[in-house]
Amino acid sequence: MGTWRPATSTCSCPCACPADQPQNSRERTTVQLGLVGLGKMGFNMRERIRRAGHEVVGYDRNPDVTDAGSLADMVAELEAPRVVWVMVPAGDITRQTIADLGELLSEGDLVIDGGNSRFTDDARNAEALAAKGVRYLDCGVSGGVWGLDNGYGLMVGGAAEDVERAMPIFDALRPEGPREEGFAHAGRVGAGHFAKMVHNGIEYGLMQAYAEGFELLEASELVENVPATIKAWQRGTVVRSWLLDLLVRALESDPELDDLRGHVEDSGEGRWTVEEAINHAVPAPVISAALFARFASRQEDSPAMRAVAALRNQFGGHAVQAAGPSSGAGTTQS
C-alpha cells in the first residue's frame, strides 16, 4: 500500500493508535486494496473507496459485479505487500475465505475481516495467518446500505502498525469529520468485532423501544396521527436519532406499516451480546428483552403463552380461547 503521512498524535486510546491526521484532512497517497465480497455493503464500499481515489480489485462469485475471475486472480492483480478486505457472510464462508487467502498470500500481506464475524473467530484466524507471515485485523462496520454516501462507522482490532498501514482505507470509508467520531482502534485482535457485537445489541434495544412506542400510539384512541407524532420527535427531543429518521421514512411510505409482517430475524450478534453479558455478569435486560421479542415475532402461536392461558384457567377459571380447526395447536377441552 501507499504511505500515509501522519501528523502529531492527539489520540488518547490505550492501544497506541496511529497518529491522527488534521481533523478534517484526508490527504494521502493512492493505495490498492483487494475486496472479497461485493454484496449489499461490499459493492458500495468498493465504490466509496474508489471515489476517494484508491484502486480496488474486487472479487465476487457473481460475474456481473466482480473485477477478477477468481480469488487467485484477484490476489495476482495486487502488488505486494497486499491488503485484502473480506466482506462476506459471517461463519463458515468467512472462515473458509480467510483460509483460502492464507494459501494465496505472502509474508507481509494483511487480511482485514470486515464482516459480522463472532469475535471468538478472530484469534484463530490471526493465528492461522501468522503461521504464514500474514497479518490480520478485524473491523466491525456499521452503516448498511446508506454507507456509500454517509460513510461507515468503523471499530478495529489488531496491532497498531497494521491499523496505521490500513488507515488510508479506513479514512476513505469513515464519515466526513473528525476521525474519532467515526473510527476507533478498539484494542487487540477481536476487539473490533466485540465492539460491533455490542453496538448491534444496543441497536436491538433502541429498535424495540421505538417499535413499542409506535404500537402504543397506534392503540390509543387519543392520538389520531401517529406518523406526524413520531416525525415531530426528529428535532429538539431527547429520543431523536438516525433510527428514528428511518422509522419516519418507513411511515411516510406505509403509515400503518400494514404492508409488512411482524416477523423479525436476527443476525446472531444480539444473541452473542446477551451471552457475553452473562459471561461477564453484566445486567442487560433491555437487550435481552429485545432479542426475545424477535423470537416471539416468529411464532404464529406461542406454546408458552398457551401454557400461561391454561394455568390462568386452572387456578382462576379465567376464560380461554379455543384453537381453530386449522391452527395446528391440537384439541381443547371446554
Side-chain angles (χ1 to χ4, degrees):
M1 288 183 76
T3 302
W4 172 64
R5 291 170 286 183
T8 302
S9 176
T10 60
C11 179
S12 59
C13 172
C15 307
C17 295
D20 287 339
Q21 287 177 298
Q23 291 301 295
N24 295 302
S25 171
R26 291 172 185 250
E27 181 181 357
R28 58 188 175 276
T29 57
T30 299
V31 299
Q32 188 184 53
L33 178 74
L35 179 58
V36 184
L38 301 171
K40 292 179 180 179
M41 287 188 67
F43 185 89
N44 284 344
M45 289 169 67
R46 176 178 63 175
E47 177 61 23
R48 185 171 175 89
I49 295 168
R50 285 176 173 172
R51 288 180 184 179
H54 303 303
E55 179 185 354
V56 182
V57 181
Y59 169 67
D60 193 278
R61 289 182 293 181
N62 181 355
D64 294 332
V65 299
T66 193
D67 301 317
S70 67
L71 197 63
D73 289 343
M74 183 204 71
V75 170
E77 290 189 41
L78 302 174
E79 298 178 5
R82 307 170 187 87
V83 176
V84 177
W85 189 300
V86 177
M87 203 70 192
V88 298
D92 290 340
I93 298 176
T94 293
R95 288 189 284 268
Q96 186 59 54
T97 299
I98 290 174
D100 292 343
L101 285 170
E103 299 299 322
L104 295 169
L105 296 174
S106 305
E107 184 174 354
D109 292 345
L110 172 64
V111 171
I112 304 171
D113 178 8
N116 281 335
S117 296
R118 186 162 185 167
F119 72 95
T120 50
D121 285 350
D122 292 315
R124 291 191 291 268
N125 290 337
E127 183 178 359
L129 291 175
K132 302 174 183 296
V134 178
R135 308 291 296 175
Y136 180 83
L137 294 174
D138 58 285
C139 183
V141 181
S142 180
V145 297
W146 301 89
L148 174 59
D149 295 321
N150 296 344
Y152 301 88
L154 306 173
M155 297 141 271
V156 183
E161 60 268 27
D162 296 327
V163 176
E164 182 173 6
R165 177 178 170 187
M167 191 58 73
I169 299 301
F170 296 142
D171 276 339
L173 288 171
R174 68 175 175 84
E176 296 290 337
R179 179 186 290 161
E180 64 269 21
E181 293 182 5
F183 170 89
H185 179 193
R188 62 181 184 271
V189 165
H193 282 146
F194 192 97
K196 179 57 163 47
M197 174 192 74
V198 175
H199 165 282
N200 280 25
I202 293 169
E203 181 183 289
Y204 276 45
L206 291 172
M207 292 172 68
Q208 187 65 25
Y210 284 131
E212 291 173 9
F214 165 76
E215 182 173 353
L216 184 55
L217 289 170
E218 280 277 294
S220 169
E221 296 179 356
L222 292 174
V223 179
E224 298 177 353
N225 192 336
V226 173
T229 300
I230 293 177
K231 188 170 185 176
W233 296 346
Q234 287 183 281
R235 295 181 184 273
T237 77
V238 296
V239 299
R240 64 189 185 275
S241 73
W242 185 40
L243 281 175
L244 180 67
D245 294 343
L246 294 177
L247 177 57
V248 169
R249 186 173 183 270
L251 290 171
E252 286 175 345
S253 61
D254 183 7
E256 296 182 353
L257 300 182
D258 52 10
D259 291 343
L260 303 172
R261 285 186 60 219
H263 180 105
V264 184
E265 295 291 348
D266 67 286
S267 64
E269 291 192 274
R271 302 183 190 212
W272 304 340
T273 305
V274 172
E275 289 176 14
E276 288 306 307
I278 293 169
N279 291 339
H280 292 82
V282 173
V286 172
I287 296 173
S288 300
L291 173 65
F292 294 145
R294 294 194 179 194
F295 295 163
S297 79
R298 303 168 204 167
Q299 295 180 308
E300 292 185 5
D301 183 42
S302 168
M305 296 316 294
R306 290 204 305 272
V308 170
L311 287 168
R312 294 181 74 247
N313 177 255
Q314 290 294 321
F315 72 70
H318 299 287
V320 294
Q321 296 183 4
S326 61
S327 70
T331 60
T332 61
Q333 294 180 336
S334 59

